[in-house]
Amino acid sequence: MQKKMRSSFWMKAISNNDENDAEGGRLVKDRDKVVRRKRIVTLNNRAFLSGAAYCLSSCSMILVNKYVLSSYEFNAGIFLMLYQNFISVVVVSILSFLGLITTESLTWRLIRVWLPVNIIFVGMLITSMFSLKYVNVAMVTVLKNVTNVMTAVGEMYLFNKHHDNRVWAALFLMIISAISGGVTDLSFHVIGYTWQILNCFLTASYSLTLRRVMDTAKKVTKSGDLNEFSMVLLNNSLSLPLGISLIIVFNEVSYLSQTPLLRLPTFWVVMTMSGFLGLAISFTSMWFLHQTGATTYSLVGSLTKIPLSIAGILLFQVPTTIENSASIFFGLLAGVMFARAKMH
């Protein structure tokens, strides 16, 4: 009888232990699921926040530049670029001094290697300023698609990179939309379109040249690496003396000495805002790329052009027709198709 009682006691104990182990196992699994869900939600939140910050800064930068150059009728695009780059240099230098970021020291060897790509960088910024003065924001976003065509052709010849039929189909649609958009543009301006096509060529040249120069530049740095903050500091620092020279060559000095705009505090506030937005694009794009990837970054960049175009038309009261609006939408859709095709 005692043996039976002892055996039944041990059986209950074992079963209770099994139940406790099973319950403990379920608790561990449930806890792991909660942790995984929290981790996924956190990553999604970071990706969303970084993407939203990038889109907001990118759209705001173009709209503010358009406002400065068109609404204020400011005729010194090079000076605007110079001021924006100066703000970037100051902010990045302060962050580096405080130890919040790390940047490479600017040696003569590094400057000599980087100077050719910096000249293209400055040309890209200046032509963008000049085109924005004459071309409406919606058409600028469509015409920028030509950059993708030039870059794809450059990759094919310089890097032997082959693209599939979907990519070429999207590029063909971009060309058609750019041509049809220009033909139906009620505010068509030859000078503006010339500057924009030149900007597309320089932008494509910058992206293609940057790949080769980065590899060479890394070899002449002390750490053997060149992070994004160092490139921001390097590009903007080297652009300052080049920008000052171009201001003299294009005779912006006489205009700046006469214009009453520089005596308006509100104008300087808008100018400074554009400078911080330019720097914000650099930081938010790096943050967004780190949280997601190049393919998502490219796709979101293409999707951002849609609200930007609509905002540009509404804010600046751009006269448009059904044909022109259809061409713009067609071009933006081709941009999204291109980004999607590049993902595969």
Side-chain angles (χ1 to χ4, degrees), residues 38-55:
K38 284 183 178 178
R39 195 174 296 158
I40 291 168
V41 169
T42 303
L43 289 172
N44 287 338
N45 286 341
R46 286 177 182 173
F48 175 76
L49 287 173
S50 60
Y54 166 67
C55 292

Side-chain angles (χ1 to χ4, degrees), residues 136-174:
N136 67 73
V137 174
M139 278 309 304
V140 165
T141 57
V142 173
L143 291 171
K144 278 183 178 290
N145 283 337
V146 178
T147 302
N148 294 328
V149 180
M150 293 179 178
T151 304
V153 174
E155 285 176 335
M156 189 173 64
Y157 283 103
L158 295 175
F159 303 107
N160 293 321
K161 186 175 181 180
H162 299 285
H163 305 285
D164 60 26
N165 293 331
R166 286 171 297 184
V167 172
W168 288 115
L171 293 172
F172 177 74
L173 292 176
M174 288 177 184

